[in-house]
Amino acid sequence: CNRTATPSVPHGAIAFGARTASWGISYGKPSAASANSSAMSACLEHGSDCQLATSYSNMCAALATVRAKAKFVTVQANTLGDAKTGAMKTCQAQLGGGCQLWVFTCAWDRN
């Protein structure tokens, strides 16, 4: 029985603590569970209010926040530039002024 291995799709995740502005990212992970766990662990090293902000595979993601409101948005896109632009546009539309691009990454690589 000859089985062909399914090519691995890279997974990534962003965890964020809106009150403390703590964050953690992961990329290049073999599964969503692995990416989520890694991002949460990294975030929890810096703050206790971390939550999984977004999880994705074979995409890029960006998180923008309004720290004064302790709120954030995330956007996924095919390119890092589109994710960053989308996060800022979505933040301004949903949360108003004061948006800051806080963290961004692609599933296959940090940059």
Side-chain angles (χ1 to χ4, degrees), residues 9-80:
V9 175
H11 293 265
I14 298 174
F16 186 69
R19 187 178 43 78
T20 61
S22 301
W23 58 272
I25 61 170
S26 64
Y27 57 92
K29 299 297 182 186
S31 69
S34 173
N36 296 351
S37 175
S38 182
M40 279 297 291
S41 292
C43 185
L44 287 168
E45 289 177 16
H46 306 286
S48 59
D49 63 330
C50 296
Q51 62 181 339
L52 186 64
T54 188
S55 182
Y56 45 92
S57 61
N58 218 25
M59 299 281 286
C60 298
L63 181 145
T65 182
V66 178
R67 290 201 56 202
K69 296 179 182 177
K71 295 188 186 256
F72 66 91
V73 300
T74 60
V75 168
Q76 297 179 19
N78 289 322
T79 68
L80 191 57

